[in-house]
C-alpha cells in the first residue's frame, strides 16, 4: 500500500484562520488514519503579505492546538527545508526546467502596459486576462532582453483550447475550459515563485500523496494539474474540504471576531472542543455520536465521507462541546487552564488563603459544571475574591417574590444563629445543609425565603452556586461576616 503523506501549508499572515485549522486537522487525520506522515510547510513567498513575527505566532498557535506534525521547521525531516523562502535554489532549478520543457515563457511586459491592457479590457467588458503578448518571442530576443537587464516574469503556457479535467477526491472530475485559463505568473520579477509554482514543486518534491486544501483553491486546480503534466510528474490526490459559512450563510469575518483560532484560545475554548467541532465542519462520523476526541477521530476518520456542501459554523454547538470537555477535565488541569482568567480576581485580594491553590481549586470545582468558556470564570467567581461585596447591589437583590428586603434581613438573623452553631471543623456544605434545612423544615418555614437572601448575602449575585457550597468555600468567618453585614 502507498504510504500516505499529507501536509499543512499555511502562510504566516499574523493569525491562524479557523478554516485553515480545519484543513490542517483533516490533513492530520488523513495521515493518521493510515499511519502516514504529516508535514508542516511554511508558505512565505508572498512578500507583501509576509509579516515578520507572524511565523512565531503561527508556531505558537499550532503548538497550542495540539496537532502534532512529523516533519517541518524545527522538527526536521528528509524533505526540507520546510520554509519556502529557504527553497529559492530549488525553485530556480525547476524554473529552468519548466522553461526548457516549454511549459512556461518569459514575459517582459511592463506594469504600465499591463495596466493599459486591463483598462482596455474593462472598457470592452472583457474578462481581465493577460493577452499573451510575450508568449511567442524568439529565444534569441528573450536572451538579448535578459542580457540587457530587462525585468521579466515567467508565465505558465496554458492550452489555447479544449478542456482540462482535474480530479478531486470528493467531487470527482471537474472540467475547466482552457479558454477560461490565463497565462498566469509562476515566477515574479523578484525571482520568487508564486503560490501556483511553489505548491506544485514542493508537493512533488516532498512526495505528498494527498493535497488537502480549502475549496477556495479549486480555481487554481487546473493550473496546478497542467503544471504537473508539463513537468511530467504524477499528480497527487486532491481533497478540497467545503467552505465554512456562518449561520446566516455568509463568510466568516475577521471583524466579527470569528475567524482567528487565537481568539478562540483567548476566549477560553479548549483544544479538545475546537478539534471536535472543526472535525464536524464538512465531515460526519457514521454513527450518531458526535463527541469524539482526537484519538477517536484518528480511528474513525475517513476522508471519503467529507461532504461538498458548505459547512455551517454554529457557535452554540462549539459552546456545547466546550462545556462538555470542561466537565470532563480533571480538576487539577482545569485549575491551571483557568488560572490566566483568574488573574484579575486574584489581584482583588491580599488574603493569602484566597491566593492559595486550595481556595482556587474549590472555586473552580464549584463552577466546573456550568462553565461554557474558561473566560467566564473571572466574572462568575469574582465575588469569592473581593474582600467586601457591593452593599447597594446586595440590598437591591434581597427581596424575593413576596419577601421584602426588611423581612429578608430578619430571616438572615435566624440563618446566622444556625450557622454559628456549626463548629469550624465541621464547616462543610453537607453539615451546613443539614443544620439549616432541618430547622427550616421542622418549623415549616418557606425554604426559598431563607436560602435566597442567604445566597445573595454571600455572593451579591443573581445567579451563583448554591449557598451551602459558597459558604463552605468562603469559610465560617467570612460567610458570617457577609451575612451579618445585613443584619445590623
Ligand atoms: N499557503 C496557502 C494558504 O495559506 C496554502 C494552500 C494549500 O494548502 O495549498 O492558504
Amino acid at each position: 500500500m502507498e504510504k500516505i503523506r499529507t501536509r499543512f501549508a499555511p502562510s504566516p499572515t499574523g493569525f491562524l484562520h479557523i478554516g485553515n485549522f480545519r484543513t490542517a486537522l483533516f490533513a492530520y487525520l488523513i495521515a493518521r488514519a493510515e499511519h502516514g506522515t504529516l508535514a508542516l510547510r511554511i508558505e512565505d513567498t508572498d512578500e507583501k503579505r509576509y509579516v515578520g513575527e507572524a511565523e512565531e505566532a503561527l508556531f505558537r498557535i499550532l503548538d497550542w492546538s495540539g496537532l502534532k506534525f512529523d516533519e517541518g521547521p524545527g522538527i526536521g525531516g528528509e524533505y526540507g527545508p520546510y520554509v519556502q523562502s529557504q527553497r529559492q535554489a530549488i525553485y530556480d532549478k525547476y524554473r529552468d526546467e519548466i522553461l526548457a520543457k516549454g511549459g512556461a515563457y518569459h514575459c517582459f511586459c511592463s506594469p504600465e502596459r499591463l495596466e493599459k491592457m486591463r483598462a482596455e479590457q474593462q472598457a470592452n467588458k472583457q474578462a481581465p486576462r493577460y493577452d499573451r503578448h510575450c508568449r511567442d518571442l524568439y529565444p534569441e530576443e528573450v536572451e538579448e532582453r535578459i542580457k540587457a537587464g530587462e525585468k521579466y516574469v515567467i508565465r505558465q503556457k496554458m492550452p489555447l483550447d479544449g478542456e482540462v479535467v482535474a480530479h478531486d477526491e470528493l467531487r470527482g472530475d471537474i472540467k475547466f475550459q482552457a479558454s477560461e485559463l490565463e497565462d498566469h505568473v509562476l515566477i515574479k520579477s523578484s525571482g520568487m515563485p508564486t503560490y501556483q509554482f511553489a505548491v506544485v514543486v514542493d508537493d512533488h518534491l516532498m512526495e505528498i500523496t494527498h493535497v488537502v486544501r480549502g475549496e477556495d483553491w479549486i480555481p487554481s486546480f487546473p493550473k496546478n494539474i497542467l503544471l504537473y503534466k508539463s513537468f511530467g510528474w504524477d499528480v497527487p490526490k486532491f481533497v478540497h474540504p467545503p467552505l465554512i459559512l456562518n449561520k446566516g450563510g455568509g463568510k466568516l469575518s475577521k471583524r466579527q471576531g470569528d475567524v482567528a483560532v487565537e481568539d478562540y484560545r483567548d476566549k477560553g475554548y479548549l483544544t479538545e472542543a475546537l478539534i471536535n467541532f472543526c472535525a464536524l465542519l464538512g465531515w460526519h462520523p457514521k454513527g450518531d455520536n458526535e463527541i469524539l476526541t482526537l484519538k477517536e477521530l484518528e480511528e474513525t476518520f475517513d476522508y471519503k465521507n467529507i461532504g461538498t456542501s458548505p459547512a455551517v459554523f454554529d457557535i452554540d454547538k462549539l459552546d456545547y462541546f466546550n462545556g462538555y470537555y470542561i466537565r470532563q477535565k480533571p480538576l487539577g488541569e482545569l485549575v491551571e487552564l483557568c488560572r490566566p482568567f483568574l488573574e484579575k480576581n486574584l489581584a482583588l485580594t491580599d488574603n493569602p488563603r484566597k491566593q492559595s491553590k486550595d481556595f482556587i481549586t474549590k472555586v473552580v470545582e464549584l463552577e466546573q459544571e456550568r462553565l461554557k468558556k474558561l473566560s467566564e470564570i473571572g466574572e462568575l467567581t469574582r465575588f469569592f475574591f473581593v474582600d467586601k461585596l457591593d452593599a447597594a447591589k446586595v440590598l437591591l437583590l434581597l427581596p424575593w417574590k413576596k419577601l421584602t428586603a426588611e423581612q429578608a434581613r430578619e430571616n438572615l438573623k435566624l440563618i446566622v444563629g444556625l450557622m454559628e452553631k456549626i463548629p469550624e471543623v465541621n464547616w462543610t456544605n453537607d453539615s451546613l445543609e443539614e443544620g439549616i434545612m432541618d430547622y427550616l423544615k421542622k418549623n415549616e418555614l418557606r425554604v426559598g425565603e431563607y436560602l435566597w437572601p442567604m445566597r445573595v448575602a454571600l455572593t451579591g449575585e443573581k445567579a451563583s452556586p448554591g449557598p451551602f457550597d459558597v459558604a463552605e468555600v468562603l469559610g465560617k468567618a467570612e460567610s458570617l461576616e457577609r451575612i451579618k453585614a445585613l443584619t445590623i
Side-chain angles (χ1 to χ4, degrees):
M1 208 171 66
E2 138 194 81
K3 180 104 170 79
I4 289 197
R5 288 180 56 81
T6 62
R7 61 18 172 218
F8 177 49
S11 302
T13 53
F15 69 96
L16 178 58
H17 193 289
I18 189 92
N20 284 346
F21 177 62
R22 193 265 321 251
T23 302
L25 177 61
F26 282 3
Y28 172 94
L29 291 172
I30 290 175
R32 286 294 168 274
E34 304 281 345
H35 305 290
T37 301
L38 171 67
L40 174 64
R41 182 173 74 226
I42 302 299
E43 302 208 326
D44 58 348
T45 61
D46 190 344
E47 305 104 299
K48 268 183 263 128
R49 259 192 350 180
Y50 179 60
V51 198
E53 281 171 15
E55 202 172 297
E56 273 309 308
L58 183 61
F59 293 140
R60 266 201 307 278
I61 193 71
L62 283 174
D63 199 39
W64 174 84
S65 80
L67 290 187
K68 294 259 176 294
F69 294 89
D70 305 301
E71 296 172 13
I75 307 166
E78 288 168 26
Y79 297 82
Y82 292 91
V83 179
Q84 286 188 331
S85 57
Q86 296 166 17
R87 297 174 63 81
Q88 190 59 46
I90 298 173
Y91 302 130
D92 291 348
K93 171 171 174 239
Y94 286 96
R95 172 202 58 205
D96 294 345
E97 186 172 324
I98 197 68
L99 283 167
K101 286 189 159 145
Y105 61 90
H106 293 84
C107 165
F108 297 93
C109 291
S110 64
E112 294 73 34
R113 178 179 182 275
L114 293 175
E115 194 45 53
K116 200 165 149 253
M117 175 198 81
R118 254 178 239 124
E120 277 166 20
Q121 285 169 337
Q122 212 167 15
N124 298 333
K125 300 216 161 28
Q126 290 165 328
R129 196 165 298 159
Y130 178 59
D131 60 4
R132 298 180 163 133
H133 185 74
C134 296
R135 182 163 162 137
D136 297 312
L137 298 180
Y138 287 113
E140 298 76 23
E141 179 181 346
V142 171
E143 219 165 288
E144 259 169 45
R145 292 174 77 167
I146 295 174
K147 259 197 211 137
E150 262 192 69
K151 278 197 155 204
Y152 62 86
V153 298
I154 307 287
R155 290 182 183 272
Q156 189 171 0
K157 202 181 244 180
M158 297 307 230
L160 298 176
D161 46 39
E163 229 174 38
V164 182
V165 181
H167 185 80
D168 174 65
E169 291 300 300
L170 310 177
R171 293 166 186 76
D173 284 348
I174 310 178
K175 292 183 178 141
F176 300 87
Q177 294 306 315
S179 56
E180 301 288 317
L181 302 174
E182 181 176 30
D183 285 1
H184 63 104
V185 175
L186 293 177
I187 307 285
K188 294 176 265 188
S189 58
S190 61
M192 281 189 69
T194 58
Y195 166 75
Q196 311 294 353
F197 188 73
V199 74
V200 168
V201 170
D202 289 347
D203 285 340
H204 170 73
L205 295 179
M206 294 183 182
E207 296 187 26
I208 300 303
T209 58
H210 293 66
V211 174
V212 188
R213 58 181 187 182
E215 178 177 342
D216 45 334
W217 290 106
I218 287 186
S220 301
F221 202 6
K223 306 174 191 174
N224 305 149
I225 296 295
L226 287 166
L227 198 53
Y228 276 103
K229 296 216 165 119
S230 301
F231 273 120
W233 294 339
D234 286 343
V235 179
K237 290 192 166 81
F238 278 82
V239 180
H240 292 98
L243 293 177
I244 303 172
L245 301 179
N246 63 29
K247 266 185 170 173
K251 270 183 78 171
L252 298 182
S253 85
K254 178 119 171 54
R255 236 176 333 119
Q256 287 159 16
D258 50 13
V259 298
V261 174
E262 287 85 343
D263 288 344
Y264 290 95
R265 175 197 59 196
D266 298 346
K267 283 182 205 157
Y269 287 95
L270 301 185
T271 56
E272 291 90 335
L274 213 57
I275 284 176
N276 194 158
F277 174 74
C278 284
L280 301 176
L281 291 173
W283 174 82
H284 205 274
K286 285 236 169 66
D288 286 337
N289 176 27
E290 290 203 320
I291 299 271
L292 295 160
T293 61
L294 186 58
K295 190 154 184 309
E296 287 162 338
L297 286 167
E298 286 174 25
E299 283 153 14
T300 47
F301 191 82
D302 181 355
Y303 75 83
K304 303 242 165 56
N305 298 336
I306 300 175
T308 52
S309 40
V312 179
F313 193 95
D314 179 355
I315 191 82
D316 296 331
K317 191 165 172 176
L318 176 58
D319 285 353
Y320 167 78
F321 283 143
N322 209 46
Y324 171 82
Y325 285 104
I326 287 177
R327 291 193 294 280
Q328 300 299 310
K329 271 273 164 215
L331 185 56
E333 261 181 60
L334 185 61
V335 169
E336 289 319 309
L337 288 166
C338 284
R339 207 175 263 280
F341 298 100
L342 286 170
E343 287 304 326
K344 271 198 198 145
N345 288 355
L346 289 166
L348 293 169
T349 176
D350 329 308
N351 182 341
R353 190 175 77 89
K354 291 192 178 182
Q355 309 267 1
S356 72
K357 187 163 180 182
D358 187 46
F359 185 79
I360 297 171
T361 304
K362 283 184 181 153
V363 166
V364 170
E365 187 177 17
L366 279 192
E367 295 297 343
Q368 184 164 15
E369 281 299 308
R370 60 184 192 137
L371 206 56
K372 285 246 161 58
K373 282 177 270 208
L374 300 177
S375 56
E376 292 166 351
I377 192 90
E379 231 2 75
L380 286 174
T381 65
R382 194 174 176 279
F383 69 85
F384 278 112
F385 295 90
V386 288
D387 288 332
K388 285 237 156 2
L389 296 179
D390 174 348
K393 189 177 166 201
V394 176
L395 274 180
L396 217 64
L397 288 175
L398 266 190
W400 186 73
K401 295 190 181 169
K402 286 188 189 143
L403 183 78
T404 63
E406 229 10 77
Q407 289 163 331
R409 293 167 70 150
E410 279 307 310
N411 292 358
L412 286 177
K413 285 188 185 155
L414 180 104
I415 295 287
V416 168
L418 295 170
M419 285 167 81
E420 275 174 340
K421 281 197 204 135
I422 300 170
E424 180 113 36
V425 284
N426 208 9
W427 191 259
T428 63
N429 143 15
D430 287 343
S431 49
L432 278 155
E433 178 163 358
E434 206 183 292
I436 294 174
M437 291 300 281
D438 283 359
Y439 182 90
L440 296 179
K441 282 193 190 140
K442 217 185 291 155
N443 294 282
E444 293 180 11
L445 297 169
R446 286 203 191 100
V447 172
E449 295 191 349
Y450 290 82
L451 297 196
W452 171 269
M454 177 182 173
R455 207 188 48 71
V456 167
L458 291 172
T459 67
E461 295 295 334
K462 257 196 231 150
S464 73
F468 308 126
D469 285 328
V470 174
E472 175 184 322
V473 175
L474 282 175
K476 184 168 181 179
E478 189 164 3
S479 298
L480 280 170
E481 190 188 314
R482 287 189 180 192
I483 300 182
K484 278 183 180 169
L486 290 160
T487 59
I488 313 159

